[in-house]
Amino acid sequence: MPWWEDYFGELYLRLSQATLTPDRTARELAGVITMLKLRPGARILDIGCGQGRHAVPLARAGFRVRGMDRSSYLLQEAQRAARAQEVDLHLVRGDMRSLPWGPVFDGCISLFTGFGYFEEEDENEQALAEMARVLRPGGMLILDVSNRDYYLLRSWPYTWRRQGQAVILEENSFDPETSRFTTKFTWLEGSQAETLTHSVRHYTAPELKGMLRRAGLVPAATYGGFDASPFDLDSKRLIMVARKVEGAKALKQ
């Protein structure tokens, strides 16, 4: 079974709650709205919407949002958040390699390293091609992933951190042949131990630009953060903004 089929559950939310703070989410949302250059009422697709961390406030801001994720557990959490905020949010359980829409969206977002899951590179290319396909001509895509070079230069084989009464061990490895980072998380609390393993293909900026062009998208900007900071080796994030051009199927690199 692929790691992502059972990764995104209750333990995932516990592991991520220390880093996915309300302030971080607010900064990311402000950046998304600025980078997409869309007004309320525009149609936005959130690929890998998870627990609705971005989809719910975007809907509350007046955008027509569709959220898609593979995790039934996280979709239930997203629906619960939408009801609590009294917003209309349409959620679908699905696979990013085959999206159930036509070219109707003004914007598409894939945030928090929700791209690069598949071991076969043509499947990651297919996922990106699907994001491009469901955009209307002129529609914008935001792809937010980890900066491979930053983590390659700074990653440690293992780290420890405390979270409340728990201790969390992260064991990291990098495969230079596949450019995949794999992290095994172990949650230790009292006499209990729970583990999850996360494995994602990390990309360089030139690699992503080539993939965007092959999907029929024109790279428009590259940032190192949602504050539109320049992208460089010290950037933890690699944020690509691209536009779908009229009638495009694939562009030369």
Side-chain angles (χ1 to χ4, degrees):
M1 178 186 296
W3 68 268
W4 37 267
E5 286 285 8
D6 60 2
Y7 179 84
F8 295 100
E10 187 272 337
L11 179 55
Y12 160 76
L13 287 184
R14 271 190 277 146
L15 286 166
S16 61
Q17 66 183 357
T19 55
L20 301 183
T21 63
D23 285 346
R24 173 175 176 167
T25 298
R27 290 194 301 270
E28 291 172 349
L29 285 167
V32 164
I33 292 171
T34 299
M35 291 173 187
L36 286 179
K37 300 178 181 178
L38 296 176
R39 296 181 178 180
R43 295 175 181 267
I44 297 178
L45 174 61
D46 185 354
I47 296 288
C49 65
Q51 66 270 36
R53 189 167 66 93
H54 302 101
V56 171
L58 282 171
R60 188 171 178 80
F63 295 97
R64 291 182 288 175
V65 182
R66 299 290 185 272
M68 196 213 75
D69 204 277
R70 187 68 177 173
S71 169
S72 297
Y73 178 85
L74 292 186
L75 287 172
Q76 291 172 4
E77 292 297 306
Q79 194 61 67
R80 186 177 295 112
R83 287 196 297 267
Q85 293 293 317
E86 299 182 337
V87 298
D88 184 21
L89 179 62
H90 296 269
L91 299 169
V92 174
R93 183 177 185 269
D95 189 316
M96 69 178 75
R97 293 166 292 186
S98 180
L99 301 179
W101 300 282
V104 298
F105 293 100
D106 303 295
C108 178
I109 58 176
S110 173
L111 308 180
F112 194 48
T113 318
F115 180 74
Y117 287 1
F118 308 112
E119 291 190 9
E120 297 298 328
E121 194 61 10
D122 60 348
E123 294 182 275
N124 292 316
E125 296 258 7
Q126 176 63 22
L128 193 56
E130 281 290 277
M131 295 181 209
R133 182 184 62 79
V134 300
L135 285 172
R136 64 167 182 79
M140 303 293 291
L141 168 72
I142 295 179
L143 194 62
D144 162 43
V145 298
S146 298
N147 176 10
R148 190 202 71 166
D149 293 337
Y150 175 92
Y151 286 96
L152 190 58
L153 292 170
R154 296 169 175 82
S155 64
W156 294 86
Y158 62 88
T159 61
W160 294 88
R161 62 184 170 94
R162 287 192 173 276
Q163 186 169 311
Q165 298 300 311
V167 174
I168 300 168
L169 169 64
E170 296 183 18
E171 299 172 87
N172 302 300
S173 62
F174 176 72
D175 184 341
E177 290 192 33
T178 62
S179 198
R180 294 186 75 88
F181 277 91
T182 298
T183 302
K184 179 182 177 182
F185 296 92
T186 303
W187 178 286
L188 301 165
E189 187 169 6
S191 61
Q192 301 298 312
E194 301 172 80
T195 63
L196 282 177
T197 299
H198 180 274
S199 178
V200 174
R201 164 74 153 95
H202 281 33
Y203 295 92
T204 64
E207 286 175 324
L208 276 187
K209 286 183 178 180
M211 294 176 72
L212 290 168
R213 292 189 179 103
R214 289 192 292 276
L217 300 169
V218 177
T222 305
Y223 301 110
F226 283 97
D227 57 355
S229 55
F231 174 73
D232 56 32
L233 285 177
D234 293 323
S235 304
K236 291 185 178 181
R237 309 305 302 169
L238 167 54
I239 302 172
M240 288 274 183
V241 183
R243 178 182 294 106
K244 183 174 180 178
V245 297
E246 184 119 19
K249 291 184 179 179
L251 304 174
K252 292 182 179 180
Q253 295 189 46

